[in-house]
Amino acid sequence: MTTADLSPQEVARRALRAGIPLETERLDLVTATANHIRRVIGTLRALDLGETAPAAVYDAAHLMGEGRDDAAV
């Protein structure tokens, strides 16, 4: 899924609606940053995680070998 970039005018309008008026000289930088973040999030949303277990249940101990109690590699 491709998301169109926000225009500087749209970024200014959204910032103002959030109560954060932007100075004109910051608008280009904020627009570029917002568009970059949107692209990264779009990429993450497109990932097919399939049967990937949540990080809370992932156990990397099996990668360390049997009987190792420290993090030495």
Short mmCIF file of all heavy atoms in Angstrom, two decimals:
data_model
loop_
_atom_site.label_atom_id
_atom_site.label_comp_id
_atom_site.label_asym_id
_atom_site.label_seq_id
_atom_site.Cartn_x
_atom_site.Cartn_y
_atom_site.Cartn_z
N MET A 1 0.84 -1.18 0.00
CA MET A 1 0.00 0.00 0.00
C MET A 1 0.89 1.25 0.00
O MET A 1 1.77 1.40 0.83
CB MET A 1 -0.89 -0.02 1.24
CG MET A 1 -1.80 1.16 1.35
SD MET A 1 -2.97 0.96 2.68
CE MET A 1 -2.26 2.02 3.88
N THR A 2 0.66 2.12 -0.92
CA THR A 2 1.42 3.35 -1.03
C THR A 2 0.59 4.52 -0.51
O THR A 2 -0.57 4.67 -0.87
CB THR A 2 1.82 3.62 -2.49
OG1 THR A 2 2.53 2.49 -2.96
CG2 THR A 2 2.68 4.85 -2.59
N THR A 3 1.19 5.33 0.32
CA THR A 3 0.51 6.49 0.86
C THR A 3 1.14 7.74 0.24
O THR A 3 2.36 7.88 0.24
CB THR A 3 0.66 6.55 2.39
OG1 THR A 3 0.17 5.33 2.94
CG2 THR A 3 -0.09 7.71 2.98
N ALA A 4 0.31 8.61 -0.27
CA ALA A 4 0.81 9.85 -0.86
C ALA A 4 1.42 10.72 0.23
O ALA A 4 0.96 10.75 1.37
CB ALA A 4 -0.33 10.60 -1.55
N ASP A 5 2.49 11.41 -0.13
CA ASP A 5 3.14 12.32 0.81
C ASP A 5 2.20 13.47 1.18
O ASP A 5 1.37 13.89 0.38
CB ASP A 5 4.41 12.90 0.21
CG ASP A 5 5.57 11.92 0.25
OD1 ASP A 5 5.45 10.88 0.92
OD2 ASP A 5 6.60 12.22 -0.38
N LEU A 6 2.37 13.95 2.40
CA LEU A 6 1.63 15.12 2.84
C LEU A 6 2.26 16.37 2.25
O LEU A 6 3.48 16.46 2.13
CB LEU A 6 1.68 15.22 4.37
CG LEU A 6 1.03 14.08 5.15
CD1 LEU A 6 1.36 14.23 6.63
CD2 LEU A 6 -0.46 14.07 4.93
N SER A 7 1.45 17.32 1.91
CA SER A 7 1.96 18.60 1.43
C SER A 7 2.29 19.48 2.65
O SER A 7 1.78 19.25 3.74
CB SER A 7 0.91 19.31 0.57
OG SER A 7 -0.18 19.71 1.38
N PRO A 8 3.14 20.47 2.45
CA PRO A 8 3.44 21.38 3.56
C PRO A 8 2.17 22.04 4.12
O PRO A 8 2.04 22.25 5.32
CB PRO A 8 4.38 22.41 2.94
CG PRO A 8 5.04 21.67 1.83
CD PRO A 8 3.98 20.75 1.29
N GLN A 9 1.23 22.35 3.24
CA GLN A 9 -0.02 22.97 3.70
C GLN A 9 -0.82 22.00 4.59
O GLN A 9 -1.39 22.40 5.60
CB GLN A 9 -0.88 23.40 2.50
CG GLN A 9 -0.26 24.49 1.66
CD GLN A 9 0.81 23.97 0.70
OE1 GLN A 9 0.91 22.78 0.42
NE2 GLN A 9 1.63 24.89 0.21
N GLU A 10 -0.84 20.73 4.22
CA GLU A 10 -1.55 19.73 5.02
C GLU A 10 -0.87 19.54 6.37
O GLU A 10 -1.54 19.43 7.40
CB GLU A 10 -1.62 18.38 4.28
CG GLU A 10 -2.31 17.29 5.04
CD GLU A 10 -3.80 17.52 5.26
OE1 GLU A 10 -4.40 18.34 4.55
OE2 GLU A 10 -4.37 16.86 6.15
N VAL A 11 0.44 19.51 6.38
CA VAL A 11 1.18 19.39 7.64
C VAL A 11 0.90 20.58 8.53
O VAL A 11 0.63 20.43 9.73
CB VAL A 11 2.70 19.24 7.38
CG1 VAL A 11 3.50 19.36 8.67
CG2 VAL A 11 2.99 17.91 6.69
N ALA A 12 0.91 21.79 7.97
CA ALA A 12 0.63 23.00 8.75
C ALA A 12 -0.79 22.95 9.32
O ALA A 12 -1.00 23.30 10.48
CB ALA A 12 0.82 24.24 7.89
N ARG A 13 -1.73 22.50 8.50
CA ARG A 13 -3.13 22.43 8.96
C ARG A 13 -3.28 21.41 10.09
O ARG A 13 -3.93 21.68 11.10
CB ARG A 13 -4.04 22.09 7.78
CG ARG A 13 -5.51 22.18 8.12
CD ARG A 13 -6.44 22.10 6.93
NE ARG A 13 -6.29 20.88 6.14
CZ ARG A 13 -5.79 20.82 4.92
NH1 ARG A 13 -5.36 21.92 4.32
NH2 ARG A 13 -5.69 19.69 4.27
N ARG A 14 -2.66 20.25 9.93
CA ARG A 14 -2.75 19.22 10.98
C ARG A 14 -2.06 19.66 12.26
O ARG A 14 -2.55 19.40 13.36
CB ARG A 14 -2.16 17.90 10.48
CG ARG A 14 -3.01 17.23 9.44
CD ARG A 14 -2.43 15.92 9.02
NE ARG A 14 -3.21 15.29 7.99
CZ ARG A 14 -3.15 14.01 7.69
NH1 ARG A 14 -2.32 13.22 8.35
NH2 ARG A 14 -3.90 13.51 6.73
N ALA A 15 -0.92 20.33 12.13
CA ALA A 15 -0.21 20.82 13.31
C ALA A 15 -1.04 21.86 14.05
O ALA A 15 -1.16 21.83 15.27
CB ALA A 15 1.15 21.39 12.91
N LEU A 16 -1.64 22.77 13.30
CA LEU A 16 -2.47 23.80 13.91
C LEU A 16 -3.68 23.19 14.61
O LEU A 16 -4.04 23.59 15.72
CB LEU A 16 -2.91 24.80 12.84
CG LEU A 16 -3.56 26.08 13.35
CD1 LEU A 16 -2.63 26.82 14.30
CD2 LEU A 16 -3.94 26.96 12.18
N ARG A 17 -4.28 22.18 13.98
CA ARG A 17 -5.43 21.49 14.58
C ARG A 17 -5.02 20.81 15.89
O ARG A 17 -5.81 20.71 16.82
CB ARG A 17 -5.98 20.47 13.60
CG ARG A 17 -7.28 19.84 14.04
CD ARG A 17 -7.91 18.98 12.99
NE ARG A 17 -6.90 18.31 12.17
CZ ARG A 17 -7.14 17.76 11.00
NH1 ARG A 17 -8.34 17.80 10.48
NH2 ARG A 17 -6.20 17.16 10.33
N ALA A 18 -3.75 20.37 15.98
CA ALA A 18 -3.24 19.74 17.21
C ALA A 18 -2.76 20.77 18.22
O ALA A 18 -2.28 20.42 19.29
CB ALA A 18 -2.09 18.79 16.85
N GLY A 19 -2.86 22.05 17.86
CA GLY A 19 -2.44 23.11 18.78
C GLY A 19 -0.95 23.41 18.73
O GLY A 19 -0.39 23.96 19.67
N ILE A 20 -0.32 23.05 17.60
CA ILE A 20 1.12 23.29 17.45
C ILE A 20 1.34 24.12 16.19
O ILE A 20 1.63 23.59 15.12
CB ILE A 20 1.88 21.96 17.32
CG1 ILE A 20 1.51 21.01 18.46
CG2 ILE A 20 3.38 22.19 17.29
CD1 ILE A 20 1.98 19.59 18.25
N PRO A 21 1.21 25.43 16.28
CA PRO A 21 1.45 26.25 15.10
C PRO A 21 2.92 26.18 14.69
O PRO A 21 3.80 26.25 15.53
CB PRO A 21 1.06 27.66 15.54
CG PRO A 21 1.08 27.62 17.03
CD PRO A 21 0.86 26.21 17.46
N LEU A 22 3.16 25.98 13.41
CA LEU A 22 4.53 25.86 12.90
C LEU A 22 5.00 27.17 12.30
O LEU A 22 4.27 27.81 11.55
CB LEU A 22 4.60 24.78 11.82
CG LEU A 22 4.40 23.34 12.28
CD1 LEU A 22 4.38 22.41 11.08
CD2 LEU A 22 5.51 22.94 13.23
N GLU A 23 6.23 27.50 12.59
CA GLU A 23 6.85 28.66 11.96
C GLU A 23 7.17 28.27 10.52
O GLU A 23 7.52 27.13 10.22
CB GLU A 23 8.12 29.04 12.70
CG GLU A 23 7.87 29.45 14.15
CD GLU A 23 9.16 29.58 14.94
OE1 GLU A 23 10.25 29.58 14.32
OE2 GLU A 23 9.07 29.69 16.15
N THR A 24 7.06 29.21 9.62
CA THR A 24 7.27 28.96 8.20
C THR A 24 8.62 28.32 7.91
O THR A 24 8.72 27.40 7.09
CB THR A 24 7.13 30.27 7.40
OG1 THR A 24 5.87 30.86 7.70
CG2 THR A 24 7.24 30.04 5.92
N GLU A 25 9.68 28.78 8.59
CA GLU A 25 11.01 28.24 8.32
C GLU A 25 11.18 26.79 8.77
O GLU A 25 12.10 26.11 8.34
CB GLU A 25 12.11 29.12 8.93
CG GLU A 25 12.00 29.36 10.41
CD GLU A 25 11.14 30.58 10.76
OE1 GLU A 25 10.63 31.25 9.85
OE2 GLU A 25 10.99 30.84 11.95
N ARG A 26 10.30 26.28 9.63
CA ARG A 26 10.38 24.89 10.08
C ARG A 26 9.49 23.96 9.27
O ARG A 26 9.61 22.74 9.37
CB ARG A 26 9.97 24.81 11.56
CG ARG A 26 10.93 25.55 12.47
CD ARG A 26 10.63 25.32 13.92
NE ARG A 26 10.78 23.91 14.24
CZ ARG A 26 10.04 23.27 15.13
NH1 ARG A 26 9.12 23.91 15.80
NH2 ARG A 26 10.23 22.00 15.37
N LEU A 27 8.61 24.50 8.47
CA LEU A 27 7.59 23.71 7.78
C LEU A 27 8.18 22.66 6.84
O LEU A 27 7.73 21.51 6.85
CB LEU A 27 6.64 24.63 7.02
CG LEU A 27 5.41 23.97 6.44
CD1 LEU A 27 4.62 23.20 7.49
CD2 LEU A 27 4.54 25.02 5.77
N ASP A 28 9.20 23.00 6.08
CA ASP A 28 9.80 22.02 5.15
C ASP A 28 10.43 20.85 5.90
O ASP A 28 10.26 19.69 5.51
CB ASP A 28 10.83 22.68 4.25
CG ASP A 28 10.19 23.55 3.18
OD1 ASP A 28 9.00 23.37 2.89
OD2 ASP A 28 10.89 24.44 2.66
N LEU A 29 11.14 21.14 6.98
CA LEU A 29 11.77 20.08 7.77
C LEU A 29 10.73 19.19 8.44
O LEU A 29 10.85 17.96 8.41
CB LEU A 29 12.71 20.69 8.82
CG LEU A 29 13.44 19.69 9.71
CD1 LEU A 29 14.34 18.79 8.88
CD2 LEU A 29 14.26 20.44 10.75
N VAL A 30 9.70 19.79 9.00
CA VAL A 30 8.65 19.01 9.66
C VAL A 30 7.90 18.17 8.62
O VAL A 30 7.57 17.00 8.88
CB VAL A 30 7.69 19.94 10.44
CG1 VAL A 30 6.49 19.17 10.97
CG2 VAL A 30 8.43 20.62 11.59
N THR A 31 7.66 18.71 7.45
CA THR A 31 6.98 17.97 6.39
C THR A 31 7.81 16.76 5.96
O THR A 31 7.29 15.65 5.83
CB THR A 31 6.69 18.88 5.18
OG1 THR A 31 5.85 19.95 5.61
CG2 THR A 31 6.01 18.12 4.06
N ALA A 32 9.09 16.97 5.75
CA ALA A 32 9.98 15.86 5.36
C ALA A 32 10.01 14.78 6.44
O ALA A 32 9.96 13.58 6.14
CB ALA A 32 11.38 16.38 5.08
N THR A 33 10.07 15.19 7.69
CA THR A 33 10.10 14.25 8.80
C THR A 33 8.79 13.47 8.88
O THR A 33 8.79 12.24 9.03
CB THR A 33 10.38 14.97 10.13
OG1 THR A 33 11.62 15.67 10.02
CG2 THR A 33 10.43 14.01 11.29
N ALA A 34 7.67 14.15 8.78
CA ALA A 34 6.37 13.50 8.84
C ALA A 34 6.20 12.50 7.70
O ALA A 34 5.72 11.37 7.90
CB ALA A 34 5.24 14.54 8.79
N ASN A 35 6.63 12.87 6.50
CA ASN A 35 6.52 11.95 5.37
C ASN A 35 7.44 10.75 5.53
O ASN A 35 7.06 9.62 5.19
CB ASN A 35 6.79 12.69 4.07
CG ASN A 35 5.61 13.55 3.67
OD1 ASN A 35 4.45 13.18 3.85
ND2 ASN A 35 5.89 14.72 3.14
N HIS A 36 8.61 10.95 6.09
CA HIS A 36 9.52 9.82 6.34
C HIS A 36 8.89 8.85 7.34
O HIS A 36 8.90 7.64 7.13
CB HIS A 36 10.87 10.31 6.84
CG HIS A 36 11.81 9.20 7.18
ND1 HIS A 36 12.43 8.45 6.22
CD2 HIS A 36 12.20 8.70 8.37
CE1 HIS A 36 13.17 7.52 6.81
NE2 HIS A 36 13.04 7.67 8.12
N ILE A 37 8.36 9.38 8.42
CA ILE A 37 7.72 8.54 9.43
C ILE A 37 6.55 7.77 8.83
O ILE A 37 6.38 6.57 9.08
CB ILE A 37 7.27 9.40 10.64
CG1 ILE A 37 8.50 9.91 11.39
CG2 ILE A 37 6.34 8.61 11.56
CD1 ILE A 37 8.21 10.96 12.43
N ARG A 38 5.75 8.42 7.99
CA ARG A 38 4.62 7.74 7.35
C ARG A 38 5.09 6.60 6.45
O ARG A 38 4.48 5.54 6.40
CB ARG A 38 3.79 8.73 6.55
CG ARG A 38 2.95 9.66 7.43
CD ARG A 38 2.34 10.81 6.65
NE ARG A 38 1.64 10.42 5.45
CZ ARG A 38 0.32 10.22 5.35
NH1 ARG A 38 -0.42 10.38 6.42
NH2 ARG A 38 -0.23 9.89 4.22
N ARG A 39 6.21 6.80 5.74
CA ARG A 39 6.74 5.74 4.87
C ARG A 39 7.26 4.56 5.70
O ARG A 39 7.05 3.41 5.35
CB ARG A 39 7.84 6.29 3.97
CG ARG A 39 7.27 7.09 2.80
CD ARG A 39 8.34 7.45 1.78
NE ARG A 39 9.33 8.38 2.27
CZ ARG A 39 9.20 9.70 2.26
NH1 ARG A 39 8.10 10.26 1.78
NH2 ARG A 39 10.15 10.47 2.72
N VAL A 40 7.94 4.84 6.80
CA VAL A 40 8.45 3.78 7.67
C VAL A 40 7.29 2.98 8.25
O VAL A 40 7.30 1.75 8.23
CB VAL A 40 9.35 4.35 8.79
CG1 VAL A 40 9.65 3.29 9.84
CG2 VAL A 40 10.63 4.90 8.20
N ILE A 41 6.28 3.67 8.75
CA ILE A 41 5.12 2.98 9.31
C ILE A 41 4.41 2.17 8.23
O ILE A 41 3.98 1.04 8.47
CB ILE A 41 4.16 3.98 9.99
CG1 ILE A 41 4.82 4.52 11.25
CG2 ILE A 41 2.81 3.33 10.30
CD1 ILE A 41 4.08 5.65 11.91
N GLY A 42 4.31 2.71 7.03
CA GLY A 42 3.71 1.97 5.92
C GLY A 42 4.47 0.69 5.62
O GLY A 42 3.88 -0.36 5.37
N THR A 43 5.80 0.76 5.66
CA THR A 43 6.63 -0.42 5.43
C THR A 43 6.40 -1.45 6.54
O THR A 43 6.27 -2.64 6.27
CB THR A 43 8.12 -0.04 5.37
OG1 THR A 43 8.31 0.88 4.30
CG2 THR A 43 9.00 -1.25 5.17
N LEU A 44 6.35 -1.01 7.77
CA LEU A 44 6.12 -1.92 8.88
C LEU A 44 4.75 -2.58 8.80
O LEU A 44 4.60 -3.77 9.07
CB LEU A 44 6.28 -1.19 10.22
CG LEU A 44 7.69 -0.72 10.55
CD1 LEU A 44 7.68 0.12 11.82
CD2 LEU A 44 8.64 -1.90 10.68
N ARG A 45 3.75 -1.82 8.41
CA ARG A 45 2.40 -2.38 8.28
C ARG A 45 2.33 -3.41 7.17
O ARG A 45 1.52 -4.33 7.22
CB ARG A 45 1.39 -1.27 8.02
CG ARG A 45 1.08 -0.48 9.25
CD ARG A 45 -0.04 0.50 8.99
NE ARG A 45 -0.38 1.18 10.22
CZ ARG A 45 -0.88 2.39 10.28
NH1 ARG A 45 -1.11 3.06 9.18
NH2 ARG A 45 -1.16 2.93 11.44
N ALA A 46 3.17 -3.27 6.16
CA ALA A 46 3.15 -4.19 5.02
C ALA A 46 3.86 -5.50 5.31
O ALA A 46 3.72 -6.45 4.54
CB ALA A 46 3.77 -3.51 3.80
N LEU A 47 4.62 -5.58 6.39
CA LEU A 47 5.34 -6.81 6.71
C LEU A 47 4.37 -7.93 7.03
O LEU A 47 3.43 -7.75 7.80
CB LEU A 47 6.28 -6.60 7.90
CG LEU A 47 7.47 -5.70 7.69
CD1 LEU A 47 8.23 -5.52 9.00
CD2 LEU A 47 8.38 -6.26 6.61
N ASP A 48 4.62 -9.09 6.47
CA ASP A 48 3.83 -10.27 6.79
C ASP A 48 4.55 -11.01 7.90
O ASP A 48 5.54 -11.71 7.66
CB ASP A 48 3.67 -11.16 5.55
CG ASP A 48 2.85 -12.40 5.85
OD1 ASP A 48 2.16 -12.44 6.89
OD2 ASP A 48 2.90 -13.33 5.03
N LEU A 49 4.07 -10.87 9.11
CA LEU A 49 4.73 -11.50 10.24
C LEU A 49 4.32 -12.96 10.39
O LEU A 49 4.94 -13.70 11.16
CB LEU A 49 4.45 -10.71 11.52
CG LEU A 49 4.94 -9.26 11.49
CD1 LEU A 49 4.57 -8.55 12.78
CD2 LEU A 49 6.44 -9.20 11.25
N GLY A 50 3.29 -13.36 9.68
CA GLY A 50 2.89 -14.76 9.68
C GLY A 50 2.73 -15.31 11.08
O GLY A 50 1.93 -14.84 11.87
N GLU A 51 3.56 -16.28 11.38
CA GLU A 51 3.46 -16.95 12.68
C GLU A 51 4.56 -16.53 13.63
O GLU A 51 4.97 -17.29 14.49
CB GLU A 51 3.46 -18.45 12.46
CG GLU A 51 2.27 -18.87 11.62
CD GLU A 51 2.02 -20.36 11.67
OE1 GLU A 51 2.53 -21.02 12.60
OE2 GLU A 51 1.33 -20.84 10.79
N THR A 52 5.05 -15.33 13.47
CA THR A 52 6.09 -14.81 14.35
C THR A 52 5.50 -14.61 15.74
O THR A 52 4.48 -13.94 15.90
CB THR A 52 6.63 -13.47 13.83
OG1 THR A 52 7.12 -13.67 12.50
CG2 THR A 52 7.73 -12.94 14.72
N ALA A 53 6.16 -15.19 16.72
CA ALA A 53 5.68 -15.06 18.10
C ALA A 53 5.96 -13.66 18.62
O ALA A 53 6.95 -13.04 18.23
CB ALA A 53 6.38 -16.08 18.99
N PRO A 54 5.10 -13.15 19.50
CA PRO A 54 5.37 -11.84 20.11
C PRO A 54 6.67 -11.88 20.89
O PRO A 54 7.08 -12.93 21.40
CB PRO A 54 4.18 -11.64 21.06
CG PRO A 54 3.16 -12.62 20.64
CD PRO A 54 3.86 -13.74 19.96
N ALA A 55 7.35 -10.76 20.98
CA ALA A 55 8.65 -10.69 21.65
C ALA A 55 8.57 -11.18 23.10
O ALA A 55 9.54 -11.72 23.62
CB ALA A 55 9.19 -9.27 21.60
N ALA A 56 7.44 -11.01 23.75
CA ALA A 56 7.30 -11.40 25.15
C ALA A 56 7.44 -12.91 25.35
O ALA A 56 7.79 -13.37 26.44
CB ALA A 56 5.96 -10.93 25.70
N VAL A 57 7.19 -13.70 24.32
CA VAL A 57 7.29 -15.15 24.47
C VAL A 57 8.49 -15.73 23.74
O VAL A 57 8.71 -16.94 23.76
CB VAL A 57 6.00 -15.86 23.98
CG1 VAL A 57 4.80 -15.42 24.81
CG2 VAL A 57 5.76 -15.63 22.51
N TYR A 58 9.29 -14.89 23.10
CA TYR A 58 10.47 -15.37 22.37
C TYR A 58 11.55 -15.76 23.35
O TYR A 58 11.85 -15.04 24.29
CB TYR A 58 10.98 -14.27 21.42
CG TYR A 58 12.16 -14.74 20.60
CD1 TYR A 58 11.97 -15.60 19.53
CD2 TYR A 58 13.44 -14.32 20.91
CE1 TYR A 58 13.04 -16.04 18.78
CE2 TYR A 58 14.52 -14.76 20.16
CZ TYR A 58 14.31 -15.61 19.10
OH TYR A 58 15.37 -16.04 18.36
N ASP A 59 12.16 -16.92 23.14
CA ASP A 59 13.21 -17.42 24.02
C ASP A 59 14.46 -17.66 23.18
O ASP A 59 14.52 -18.60 22.39
CB ASP A 59 12.76 -18.71 24.70
CG ASP A 59 13.82 -19.28 25.62
OD1 ASP A 59 14.75 -18.53 26.00
OD2 ASP A 59 13.73 -20.47 25.96
N ALA A 60 15.46 -16.82 23.35
CA ALA A 60 16.69 -16.93 22.58
C ALA A 60 17.70 -17.86 23.23
O ALA A 60 18.78 -18.07 22.71
CB ALA A 60 17.31 -15.56 22.40
N ALA A 61 17.36 -18.47 24.36
CA ALA A 61 18.30 -19.33 25.07
C ALA A 61 18.77 -20.49 24.20
O ALA A 61 19.92 -20.91 24.28
CB ALA A 61 17.67 -19.85 26.36
N HIS A 62 17.91 -20.99 23.33
CA HIS A 62 18.31 -22.11 22.48
C HIS A 62 19.42 -21.73 21.50
O HIS A 62 20.13 -22.58 20.99
CB HIS A 62 17.10 -22.67 21.73
CG HIS A 62 16.58 -21.77 20.66
ND1 HIS A 62 15.76 -20.70 20.93
CD2 HIS A 62 16.80 -21.77 19.32
CE1 HIS A 62 15.48 -20.08 19.80
NE2 HIS A 62 16.10 -20.71 18.81
N LEU A 63 19.60 -20.44 21.26
CA LEU A 63 20.66 -19.98 20.38
C LEU A 63 22.02 -19.99 21.07
O LEU A 63 23.05 -19.96 20.42
CB LEU A 63 20.37 -18.57 19.88
CG LEU A 63 19.08 -18.39 19.08
CD1 LEU A 63 18.86 -16.92 18.77
CD2 LEU A 63 19.12 -19.21 17.80
N MET A 64 22.02 -20.05 22.38
CA MET A 64 23.24 -19.98 23.17
C MET A 64 23.90 -21.35 23.35
O MET A 64 25.03 -21.43 23.75
CB MET A 64 22.93 -19.39 24.56
CG MET A 64 22.40 -17.97 24.53
SD MET A 64 23.62 -16.80 23.98
CE MET A 64 24.81 -16.94 25.28
N GLY A 65 23.19 -22.41 23.12
CA GLY A 65 23.75 -23.75 23.36
C GLY A 65 23.30 -24.26 24.71
O GLY A 65 22.83 -23.52 25.57
N GLU A 66 23.44 -25.52 24.89
CA GLU A 66 22.99 -26.17 26.13
C GLU A 66 23.86 -25.80 27.33
O GLU A 66 25.08 -25.72 27.22
CB GLU A 66 23.02 -27.70 25.95
CG GLU A 66 22.06 -28.19 24.88
CD GLU A 66 20.62 -27.96 25.23
OE1 GLU A 66 20.26 -28.08 26.43
OE2 GLU A 66 19.85 -27.64 24.33
N GLY A 67 23.21 -25.54 28.45
CA GLY A 67 23.90 -25.37 29.71
C GLY A 67 24.65 -24.06 29.90
O GLY A 67 25.43 -23.93 30.83
N ARG A 68 24.45 -23.09 29.07
CA ARG A 68 25.17 -21.81 29.23
C ARG A 68 24.31 -20.88 30.04
O ARG A 68 23.16 -20.61 29.72
CB ARG A 68 25.47 -21.22 27.88
CG ARG A 68 26.44 -22.13 27.13
CD ARG A 68 27.15 -21.45 26.08
NE ARG A 68 28.04 -20.44 26.60
CZ ARG A 68 29.04 -19.97 25.89
NH1 ARG A 68 29.27 -20.45 24.70
NH2 ARG A 68 29.82 -19.03 26.36
N ASP A 69 24.86 -20.37 31.11
CA ASP A 69 24.13 -19.46 31.99
C ASP A 69 24.53 -18.01 31.82
O ASP A 69 23.94 -17.13 32.41
CB ASP A 69 24.36 -19.85 33.47
CG ASP A 69 23.75 -21.20 33.78
OD1 ASP A 69 22.75 -21.57 33.14
OD2 ASP A 69 24.31 -21.89 34.66
N ASP A 70 25.55 -17.76 31.01
CA ASP A 70 25.97 -16.36 30.82
C ASP A 70 25.75 -15.96 29.36
O ASP A 70 25.32 -16.74 28.55
CB ASP A 70 27.43 -16.17 31.25
CG ASP A 70 28.40 -17.01 30.42
OD1 ASP A 70 28.01 -17.45 29.32
OD2 ASP A 70 29.52 -17.22 30.87
N ALA A 71 26.08 -14.74 29.07
CA ALA A 71 25.85 -14.23 27.73
C ALA A 71 27.11 -14.30 26.88
O ALA A 71 27.16 -13.74 25.80
CB ALA A 71 25.36 -12.79 27.80
N ALA A 72 28.14 -15.01 27.36
CA ALA A 72 29.38 -15.13 26.59
C ALA A 72 29.11 -15.89 25.30
O ALA A 72 28.38 -16.85 25.27
CB ALA A 72 30.45 -15.83 27.40
N VAL A 73 29.73 -15.42 24.24
CA VAL A 73 29.54 -16.06 22.93
C VAL A 73 30.80 -16.78 22.55
O VAL A 73 31.87 -16.35 22.74
CB VAL A 73 29.16 -15.01 21.86
CG1 VAL A 73 28.99 -15.68 20.51
CG2 VAL A 73 27.91 -14.29 22.28
#
